[in-house]
Amino acid sequence: MKPAHAGHLAMLSFSVLIAGSFSLGALAANEITPLALNAVRFWIAGAIIGTAAYLTTGISRNALKAPWRYLALAAFFTTYFVLMFEGLKTAAPVSAAAVFTLTPILSAGFGWLLLRQVLTARMALALAIGALGALLVIFRADIAALLRFQIGKGEMIYFWGCVAHAAYTPMVRKLNRGEPTLVFTFGTLVAGAIILTFVGWRDLVATDWANLPGIVWITILYTAVIASATTFTLLQFAALRLPSSKVMAYTYLTPSWVIVWDIALGGTAPPAMVVLGLVLTVIALVMLLRD
């Protein structure tokens, strides 16, 4: 398989798996603080990826050089996840996923600033179509609310997390010095776990771990194994093979997958106008993926 094709397959898998963290995260967001949840999940994910890296490529001394790179990447990604769960306390999963689809525009900007990756006119049009579709979903197809730009508190909080996520993608390529994907992911996860443990120590101590609802532990395990270890690896794998804007283009599929997840978990289908917004995001994805 060509490197670019492998990158596309990785991001398709990413979009399916990451959608589950929105639906499950919304169920658990008000049961535990974002810092405590993410600190535990990062340690679990780090242990899984570290073991996989050790058993496959091994962890060389060269990978341990310039550890500030992992701290820099982790600072952005931990910010994203903490703000995501903070936003999900009030934002609906589909609405939050729609905010996530704004990251390709942001990522294209950071890609130009950090890597001088050029945004073509067709890609700019695709991003605009995707943004329009995202806005229809975020404002639940309420044109009056859109014109007043009445965005929810949760969506606004999560938007700033998406800014951090968009900066992270081109930084992976800029800071990677030839380390294997698993090793580079392991370094980022451990750095993130250290940051979250230090910043969220009070929340970790104050949490009544023995009496947490079952959905919290399901969310922790899913986000640690799937939405952290697996998707971290897929994202870094793809970021080394595709331009930043194409990597993040797959986020346009996330709201659609979230709807599938919500229905599977007992939710209801969205209104027709919201579905129109989802269709626009898929059109944007197709346009972005063309060479």
Side-chain angles (χ1 to χ4, degrees):
M1 185 179 293
K2 294 180 180 179
H5 292 167
H8 287 304
L9 180 59
M11 287 310 299
L12 179 62
S13 302
F14 171 93
S15 68
V16 177
L17 298 176
I18 204 69
S21 62
F22 287 93
S23 300
L24 292 172
L27 297 175
N30 290 297
E31 305 292 343
I32 185 174
T33 67
L35 285 170
L37 185 150
N38 282 290
V40 173
R41 70 179 281 202
F42 266 64
W43 281 117
I44 295 173
I48 294 171
I49 291 297
T51 302
Y54 179 78
L55 295 175
T56 54
T57 62
I59 303 174
S60 66
R61 290 186 178 182
N62 288 333
L64 303 178
K65 291 181 179 179
W68 63 267
R69 296 176 297 151
Y70 303 116
L71 288 170
L73 289 171
F76 284 97
F77 228 36
T78 53
T79 297
Y80 164 74
F81 278 115
V82 169
L83 293 182
M84 172 187 173
F85 279 90
E86 189 64 38
L88 283 172
K89 289 181 178 181
T90 55
V94 176
S95 183
V99 176
F100 189 46
T101 63
L102 297 176
T103 52
I105 295 178
L106 300 169
S107 187
F110 283 115
W112 181 84
L113 286 173
L114 297 173
L115 302 172
R116 289 297 184 264
Q117 291 177 343
V118 178
L119 186 66
T120 65
R122 180 178 53 78
M123 291 176 70
L125 175 61
L127 291 174
I129 293 173
L132 176 60
L135 288 174
L136 280 174
V137 179
I138 293 167
F139 290 98
R140 297 169 181 82
D142 186 340
I143 304 301
L146 175 59
L147 293 175
R148 293 192 301 270
F149 207 74
Q150 291 182 339
I151 189 169
K153 178 183 177 182
E155 286 88 346
M156 183 58 73
I157 290 172
Y158 182 49
F159 170 77
W160 291 110
C162 290
V163 172
H165 192 296
Y168 169 85
T169 306
M171 284 184 65
V172 169
R173 179 173 291 191
K174 189 173 183 66
L175 297 181
N176 184 275
R177 298 181 179 178
E179 294 89 355
T181 301
L182 283 176
V183 175
F184 206 59
T185 303
F186 172 63
T188 305
L189 285 169
V190 171
I194 293 171
I195 291 172
L196 288 166
T197 301
F198 178 77
V199 176
W201 182 251
R202 289 185 178 180
D203 289 355
L204 284 165
V205 173
T207 299
D208 185 4
W209 297 99
N211 295 306
L212 286 174
I215 188 61
V216 174
W217 288 110
I218 292 172
T219 303
I220 287 175
L221 290 175
Y222 182 88
T223 55
V225 179
I226 304 300
S228 288
T230 305
T231 58
F232 264 42
T233 303
L234 291 171
L235 182 61
Q236 295 205 13
F237 179 88
L240 295 173
R241 290 161 177 80
L242 299 171
S244 299
S245 55
K246 286 197 175 186
V247 170
M248 299 315 298
Y250 278 93
T251 62
Y252 285 136
L253 289 179
T254 306
S256 300
W257 288 123
V258 169
I259 289 175
V260 175
W261 273 90
D262 281 353
I263 293 174
L265 293 172
T268 57
M273 285 298 290
V274 172
V275 174
L276 174 61
L278 297 175
V279 171
L280 290 176
T281 60
V282 174
I283 291 173
L285 169 67
V286 174
M287 291 179 67
L288 282 172
L289 294 184
R290 290 184 59 194
D291 290 329

